[in-house]
Amino acid sequence: MTARVGENLNQALHGLLGDDPSVYVLGEDLLDPYGGAFKITRGLSTRFPDRVLTTPLSEGAIVGAASGLALAGEKAIVEIMFGDFAALAFDQLVNFASKSVSMYGRRVPMPLIIRCPSGGNRGYGPTHSQNLQKHFIGVPGLSLFEMSPFHDNRAVLDRMLALAEPCLLFEDKVLYTRRMYDVDELFTWDLVEDVAVVRFDGDLDYVVIAPGGVAHRAIAAMRTLLLSHDLAGAVLVPSRLYPFDPAALLPLLGQVGVVCVAEDGSAGGTWGSHLAADLHQRLWGLLRRPIRLVSSADSVIPTASHLERAVVLQDSTISSAVLEALDG
């Protein structure tokens, strides 16, 4: 049986710190026996006590210190306890870390990763359940990734550090307990460059593009559409959200001609809208329908589970959006 996503990430951090003595991990309550709010850093402080640093409750200070480490030639990984609080480090990320890559007259390596546990469906309420990806889209020198059950976390961490620029890694909290590479037997999956392609083996009626935290909901919607409506589809799950080059996917998208982009978080200025605008330009003349965007409701995220489900993106919302797109 494959590891759970959270276990895979924990193993990736252990391997990374074991292989590279220049890597530091910083954040709140990371030390054993607690090992972080979601136990992702469990065991690290015992093995690497000098390089796993627990910090005061100040996201700006944590990211500022990590940025200084990266600027001085080390590699730094920060855990923001809840991704919502990345907003408290916005100035450090946007006005210092990302700018430091290029504002000194030459490119300066800044190997820095900010891990952001994100998303709802856990009952944590309005300020601990958000997806803030859209607030960081389009910042020069800042890359966005999202954890996925189809992308090995060690490979993702290595890739982010190799970029030598600040990277945000958004981690949907529900994924921590899900299995890696777990796909319904009705479908197959493969990696096409950066993107996991989960699909029905046959002619396709539509394609859904979704980040890692939405992948299991998009696949559940794909199952419903196949069994209840006899519609075959594919779900594409990129690891890197921004910048994202969809060139390798254009043949498939152009052939199918019906595309839906599904993401958590409220609509407006999102990764999905940015991607849809890009695809419209590249696929103009091949699309059978306008690209359909689907997201969470325009609302704060309630704590009560029945109210939360009405706000956070669900698989039923995705399947309804696909049906509407196909109906034109």
Side-chain angles (χ1 to χ4, degrees), residues 93 97-98 101 110-114 141-144 164-168:
L93 285 167
S98 62
V101 175
M110 283 285 291
L112 171 64
I113 297 172
I114 313 297
L142 184 64
S143 290
L144 274 66
E165 66 182 33
C167 297
L168 287 160

Side-chain angles (χ1 to χ4, degrees), residues 15 41 67 76 97 115 126 139-140 156 225 318:
T41 60
S67 298
R115 294 183 40 243
V139 178
V156 174
L225 290 166
I318 299 172

Side-chain angles (χ1 to χ4, degrees), residues 296-318:
S296 297
D298 185 14
S299 169
V300 298
I301 300 172
T303 301
S305 59
H306 67 291
L307 297 175
E308 185 180 35
R309 285 194 299 271
V311 171
V312 176
L313 181 68
Q314 304 296 326
D315 57 279
S316 58
T317 316
I318 299 172

Side-chain angles (χ1 to χ4, degrees), residues 240-260:
R240 190 181 189 181
L241 301 186
Y242 185 88
F244 174 56
D245 182 2
L249 306 176
L250 295 180
L252 173 62
L253 297 175
Q255 178 184 2
V256 176
V258 176
V259 180
C260 177

